[in-house]
Amino acid sequence: MTLDSRRTEGVHPDHPDLDRLEVSELVRVLAGDQAGALRAVGAAVPALARAVEAALPRLTQGGRLVYVGAGTSGRLGVLDATELTPTFSWPRERAVPLIAGGARAIREAVEGAEDDHALGGRDVQAIGICDTDVLIAIAASGTTPYVLGAVEEGRRARALTVGLANNADTPLLRAVDCPVLLDTGEEVISGSTRLKAGTAQKIALNTFSSAVMVRLGKVYGNLMVDVRTSNAKLEGRAVRLVRHATGAGEAEAQRALADAAGNVKVAIVTLLLGIPATEAITRLAAHGGHARAALEAE
């Protein structure tokens, strides 16, 4: 008998003796079930594309990506927000993660925080949410009060609201401008949405934010040209990216990067057009930071 209509809370019908399996079979079952996450995200591609298209005009105007969630969903939001800066040089202040219970909840459960509808609204209000922002609300259940309170406040401020949930026809998906259903169904370990529900959320967040960054000019071809060179590994990566994009030798690429203060995109435009770094910077600025547009402009 199903006591909860949400599929993520249901009991998986295929593995009633999970605790009796040999280790190799147990691992095979757990790993194999993750394929459901890929199928769920694949079905959500049209919804994710609509969310990206809706987000771009706001972000072009200087808006922020605001992530809201509780528990596993909140931690995945924190992760996606955090990785945008080193990967795409996205300004840290324009990727704002909010998790029920605050920073302490990243490492431990904060009892009752996810059930506090008013707290979600207050947390969003405290960051000064506005109509150029994009609020990404994440909740496997689709019913988390903290997340619903945050969405309510985001909509009041006319921010764009995107919702990721793993159950259909839930309050979260009904409340947002851009609903994204990740229908992963029952978990192998019943109710443990850190499994394939969480995996689907991670893939969907990666897909959404990466697509946004590509369209905002953070990528040239399929090269990560806005990477921030903050350590030796990334400095080596920057040299390889410049060489791949331009055909330059290592010494030439290093010189161009030095002239560009480590900016891969500037170094590429400098080398491909044979212009000084200062002119490459001006040219990129005139084309919204898009390397291809800067290179192809008359």
Side-chain angles (χ1 to χ4, degrees), residues 81-211:
T82 302
E83 290 180 340
L84 293 181
T85 298
T87 307
F88 299 110
S89 293
W90 185 251
R92 189 170 180 269
E93 65 275 11
R94 293 182 65 193
V96 183
L98 300 176
I99 182 170
R104 183 162 66 94
I106 296 171
R107 290 284 296 163
E108 61 182 278
V110 178
E111 298 300 331
E114 71 176 67
D115 297 326
D116 195 332
H117 184 281
L119 178 62
R122 289 197 302 272
D123 281 357
V124 168
Q125 189 176 46
I127 65 165
I129 195 86
C130 68
D131 60 0
T132 57
D133 291 333
V134 178
L135 188 151
I136 306 156
I138 318 153
S141 67
T143 61
T144 307
Y146 175 85
V147 175
L148 295 174
V151 168
E152 185 177 301
E153 182 60 27
R155 287 184 64 85
R156 188 197 65 76
R158 300 192 178 186
L160 178 73
T161 53
V162 178
L164 274 60
N166 298 82
N167 288 292
D169 195 30
T170 46
L172 176 58
L173 296 182
R174 292 195 296 268
V176 296
D177 301 305
C178 299
V180 180
L181 170 62
L182 303 170
D183 190 4
T184 45
E186 301 88 351
E187 297 286 2
V188 169
I189 299 175
S190 298
S192 181
T193 52
R194 63 178 289 272
L195 296 175
K196 69 173 176 285
T199 301
Q201 291 174 357
K202 171 62 173 163
I203 298 170
L205 288 169
N206 266 347
T207 301
F208 173 81
S209 61
S210 297

Side-chain angles (χ1 to χ4, degrees), residues 11 14 32 46-47 53 67 71 78 94 97 113 122 140 144 168-169 174 184-185 189 220 242 251 266 278:
V11 176
D14 295 342
E53 293 281 8
Y67 297 76
V78 171
R94 293 182 65 193
R122 289 197 302 272
T144 307
D169 195 30
R174 292 195 296 268
T184 45
I189 299 175
Y220 171 59
V242 172
V266 172
T278 52

Side-chain angles (χ1 to χ4, degrees), residues 210-225:
S210 297
V212 163
M213 294 299 145
V214 170
R215 299 302 295 173
L216 290 175
K218 301 293 185 178
V219 173
Y220 171 59
N222 65 344
L223 304 180
M224 193 172 69
V225 293

Side-chain angles (χ1 to χ4, degrees), residues 43-103:
V45 163
L48 284 166
R50 286 192 292 272
V52 171
E53 293 281 8
L56 288 170
R58 310 222 184 190
L59 298 173
T60 301
Q61 295 174 52
R64 298 171 294 176
L65 289 165
V66 179
Y67 297 76
V68 180
T72 296
S73 298
R75 295 178 192 107
L76 289 169
V78 171
L79 178 61
D80 203 68
T82 302
E83 290 180 340
L84 293 181
T85 298
T87 307
F88 299 110
S89 293
W90 185 251
R92 189 170 180 269
E93 65 275 11
R94 293 182 65 193
V96 183
L98 300 176
I99 182 170

Side-chain angles (χ1 to χ4, degrees), residues 275-288:
I275 58 178
T278 52
E279 187 178 338
I281 291 169
T282 300
R283 196 176 180 100
L284 280 163
H287 293 88

Side-chain angles (χ1 to χ4, degrees), residues 15 18-32:
H15 306 289
L18 190 74
D19 59 337
R20 295 183 177 184
L21 298 180
E22 295 294 331
V23 170
S24 59
E25 179 63 8
L26 175 61
V27 171
R28 186 194 69 78
V29 166
L30 289 168

